[in-house]
Amino acid sequence: MDNLNNQIVVVSGSTSEELEAILAQSQCETRNAENFKLFKKAYRKHRPGVLVLYVNDTESEQLASQVLSHVRRAMQDKDAIFVVAHPPEHMPDALNWIEEYSIASFITLTTDKRALNQSVIDRNVKAWRRFVQVTEQHQAESNLLMSVAHLHRNNNNVNEVMHQFMQALSSIACASVQCRIKINAQGEGTITSCSPDLDELESTLNLAFQLPTLPPYLQRALNEKKPQIDLLPSIDAFSALGQLLKLKLSSYLIFPIVVYGKVLELMVFFIDENAMESVSMRQIDVISKAAEQLTMLLERKESERRLKKQCTRLKHALIELKETQEQLAHSEKMATVGQFAAGIAHEINNPLSFVLSNFGSMDNYLDSILNLQNLHDQFLSAVEVGNQNRRDEIKDEITHYRGQSEIDFIYDDMREIVAQSQMGLTRVSEIIKDLQSFNGKAQRTELDLKDLLSQSLTLLRSTNVSDIPIKTRFTHQSEIVSNAGFIQQILTNLIKNAYQALATHPSTEPVIEVSSEETNGAIHISVRDNGPGISFEKQKHVFDPFYTTKAVGEGTGLGLSVSYNLSKRLGGKLLVDSQEGKYCQFTLVLPIQTEGSPH
């Protein structure tokens, strides 16, 4: 619209010296259109804001009517300003034209009214320039807010979106030159980009700012973390900048980009003396609101980035933990349990303990972050629909929630948690890699439960230091068709746990009962002791990998987990039943293999 500020089109079939004298004083570029065809060409090319219609006879009045109808009706231009000039002897139908075409002014061309007519022309030109200025400001405000909204929706290069934001902010501030200054951890600045594209601009700006140390006016914006607008310091460096741009710079705007209380960069804008009158409190208010929205959106982007990064690390950690569990479950056999149980206990318990503890903390942290993200979504929705009250309410909620949930501490602690968990799981992985792998194949055969029990007791003889008696009661009738090695490993683990429970909490008459019964198409094999039992809460975790109630160094927490997984591979299940202070019983349930059943 810049060209429109200085364009006046005069539509006239003839000339008027009085009108030419008035327009000569208007300091505007004047173009004449002697007929309707020339007018349309000039209008299409220049789209002027002020049109003067010279009406001195019937023919010129018809030409004026054509022009008015074309602009107002055909082109739907409601903003162009029309001034009708006429000699005293020819007065057009003013009332009708004002009502139908919204004529701004009528002037009678006489020498004694020249000063008055001149003021009318000047007033309409100023009105158009003001309209152009307001339109440009509104467009700049819209572009500024749209660039912030674009940042919310855009998943591409954030730097590109920030560049668009800077251009929109430059327009609203009527800035002649702008630059971006990146702030490092030491509070020093480096120019990353500047505009307009002049060879010596960056070096001149560096000289003016005396970077990397920030001058006081930049340091103030860094400390206060909010937009600053003020007069330029009276120093020679800015005179050199004005000479380079051939402008008289008088003011500056500094816009800090703040994310979680840390200023990442400063956007600096220099404003020409002639443009300062265009910067109003409305623009400053829009800039301040844009700063708040941009800060919240950048913080959300940063939250999403951190959350995705932490979730990726946790995913890898959980995958590694699952692989560790599966590797142990498939490789554990009766002989290896006895060999490495005591040796790896103190190595593996500590890292896994703090990994499991960390996962609990991470779960709470993720809830806090997701709650904050939900508040941000509500805030953006309120902004988009223009709900001022709801926006302010949610903004207060965000501020309160951030302080209450200590979100900044959460982000720092999550990084530390993931680092510790990775170290622990790496140690677990190294331990697992050192173990010999024994791959037992699930081959099913008919087996004798008594023989399997006898073999298990022989292997566990050294564990039964208190010579605890074993009672048996086998009542099943059907043949047990299953994997002998898996069954033996399960029995060994269950009986060893019973020995250890009775040895730790000796009773008057300790005893272990191994029994079987056939019911509901399945064989139930139970191992029961009259030891201290397991509380109801702990029963929920006894089959979890690495869970143990024993002292550090006395158990790995693998036996029951491995047994549970083996029972599932056999097509059955492992159950626990206990009453604290009285007994504990584990039952292996195996489906009876009938003729035609898959082996």
Side-chain angles (χ1 to χ4, degrees), residues 245-312:
L245 298 169
K246 297 180 180 180
L247 296 171
K248 190 174 182 181
L249 302 176
S250 63
S251 306
Y252 66 81
L253 166 67
I254 304 175
F255 191 97
I257 304 300
V258 185
V259 177
Y260 292 118
K262 181 181 179 181
V263 178
L264 302 183
E265 68 174 70
L266 298 173
M267 291 184 177
V268 184
F269 304 86
F270 294 97
I271 306 170
D272 183 69
E273 186 177 55
N274 296 326
M276 268 306 297
E277 62 181 16
S278 301
V279 181
S280 64
M281 291 303 299
R282 172 185 170 84
Q283 277 76 53
I284 295 174
D285 184 54
V286 170
I287 290 170
S288 299
K289 291 179 180 178
E292 295 176 4
Q293 296 179 31
L294 182 64
T295 295
M296 284 187 288
L297 287 173
L298 288 175
E299 288 178 353
R300 176 176 176 177
K301 287 286 184 181
E302 179 65 12
S303 297
E304 291 174 353
R305 186 191 68 80
R306 291 182 182 181
L307 185 59
K308 288 178 181 178
K309 187 175 181 180
Q310 302 298 347
C311 286
T312 300

Side-chain angles (χ1 to χ4, degrees), residues 534-544 547 576:
I534 304 174
S535 67
F536 180 75
E537 284 299 319
K538 292 181 179 179
Q539 289 179 40
K540 300 176 183 179
H541 304 288
V542 292
F543 298 126
D544 292 346
Y547 178 82
V576 61

Side-chain angles (χ1 to χ4, degrees), residues 74-281:
M75 303 304 296
Q76 292 294 308
D77 187 345
K78 306 299 183 183
D79 301 319
I81 297 175
F82 282 103
V83 177
V84 177
H86 61 90
E89 63 272 14
H90 188 92
M91 178 65 183
D93 188 359
L95 292 178
N96 185 46
W97 279 16
I98 290 175
E99 181 179 357
E100 189 171 0
Y101 300 117
S102 299
I103 305 299
S105 303
F106 284 83
I107 60 175
T108 303
L109 299 174
T110 60
T111 305
D112 60 325
K113 291 185 177 181
R114 179 176 296 181
L116 175 62
N117 293 338
Q118 181 71 58
S119 66
V120 171
I121 294 293
D122 291 343
R123 184 178 69 248
N124 283 289
V125 169
K126 288 181 180 179
W128 172 250
R129 288 176 177 172
R130 181 56 186 164
F131 168 77
V132 171
Q133 185 181 64
V134 170
T135 302
E136 288 178 341
Q137 288 291 341
H138 287 172
Q139 183 61 46
E141 292 171 13
S142 176
N143 291 341
L144 185 67
L145 297 177
M146 286 301 296
S147 66
V148 176
H150 186 58
L151 177 62
H152 166 57
R153 299 183 179 91
N154 195 312
N155 293 321
N156 297 326
N157 192 328
V158 174
N159 189 58
E160 179 181 343
V161 179
M162 292 299 293
H163 178 72
Q164 296 175 4
F165 177 85
M166 183 177 182
Q167 295 303 317
L169 189 56
S170 177
S171 296
I172 199 173
C174 302
S176 302
V177 60
Q178 59 269 353
C179 67
R180 296 172 66 178
I181 301 177
K182 183 178 180 181
I183 307 299
N184 62 21
Q186 290 73 38
E188 298 176 336
T190 305
I191 295 178
T192 57
S193 66
C194 54
S195 179
D197 188 13
L198 297 175
D199 294 337
E200 300 178 9
L201 180 58
E202 184 172 340
S203 59
T204 306
L205 287 171
N206 270 311
L207 181 62
F209 294 135
Q210 294 293 309
L211 299 177
T213 303
L214 298 181
Y217 51 92
L218 291 182
Q219 189 65 48
R220 185 179 66 177
L222 182 66
N223 295 337
E224 296 184 9
K225 300 173 183 176
K226 61 182 181 181
Q228 308 281 338
I229 186 167
D230 205 343
L231 296 176
L232 279 176
S234 180
I235 56 177
D236 294 338
F238 288 106
S239 299
L241 180 60
Q243 291 173 6
L244 175 66
L245 298 169
K246 297 180 180 180
L247 296 171
K248 190 174 182 181
L249 302 176
S250 63
S251 306
Y252 66 81
L253 166 67
I254 304 175
F255 191 97
I257 304 300
V258 185
V259 177
Y260 292 118
K262 181 181 179 181
V263 178
L264 302 183
E265 68 174 70
L266 298 173
M267 291 184 177
V268 184
F269 304 86
F270 294 97
I271 306 170
D272 183 69
E273 186 177 55
N274 296 326
M276 268 306 297
E277 62 181 16
S278 301
V279 181
S280 64
M281 291 303 299

Side-chain angles (χ1 to χ4, degrees), residues 501-597:
L502 291 171
T504 306
H505 299 83
S507 61
T508 306
E509 296 181 357
V511 65
I512 297 174
E513 297 180 2
V514 181
S515 62
S516 72
E517 63 177 351
E518 188 174 327
T519 178
N520 297 326
I523 296 176
H524 294 237
I525 304 171
S526 300
V527 177
R528 180 187 180 107
D529 67 74
N530 60 348
I534 304 174
S535 67
F536 180 75
E537 284 299 319
K538 292 181 179 179
Q539 289 179 40
K540 300 176 183 179
H541 304 288
V542 292
F543 298 126
D544 292 346
F546 309 109
Y547 178 82
T548 179
T549 58
K550 302 181 181 69
V552 175
E554 295 182 3
T556 64
L558 296 173
L560 289 177
S561 175
V562 169
S563 300
Y564 180 81
N565 287 331
L566 291 178
S567 69
K568 292 176 66 176
R569 292 182 63 184
L570 294 173
K573 54 186 176 180
L574 187 61
L575 308 174
V576 61
D577 176 35
S578 180
Q579 187 172 344
E580 196 169 9
K582 292 187 177 181
Y583 72 89
C584 180
Q585 176 175 301
F586 287 92
T587 302
L588 172 63
V589 180
L590 295 173
I592 296 174
Q593 297 293 324
T594 59
E595 186 176 353
S597 298

Side-chain angles (χ1 to χ4, degrees), residues 40-89:
K40 288 199 295 183
K41 182 178 180 181
Y43 180 81
R44 182 171 57 252
K45 183 177 181 180
H46 303 290
R47 288 301 293 266
V50 179
L51 297 99
V52 178
L53 306 178
Y54 178 56
V55 178
N56 64 338
D57 54 24
T58 303
E59 184 179 350
S60 61
E61 189 169 341
Q62 290 177 350
L63 174 60
S65 296
Q66 279 186 293
V67 169
L68 289 167
S69 178
H70 177 76
V71 173
R72 294 300 195 216
R73 294 173 182 170
M75 303 304 296
Q76 292 294 308
D77 187 345
K78 306 299 183 183
D79 301 319
I81 297 175
F82 282 103
V83 177
V84 177
H86 61 90
E89 63 272 14

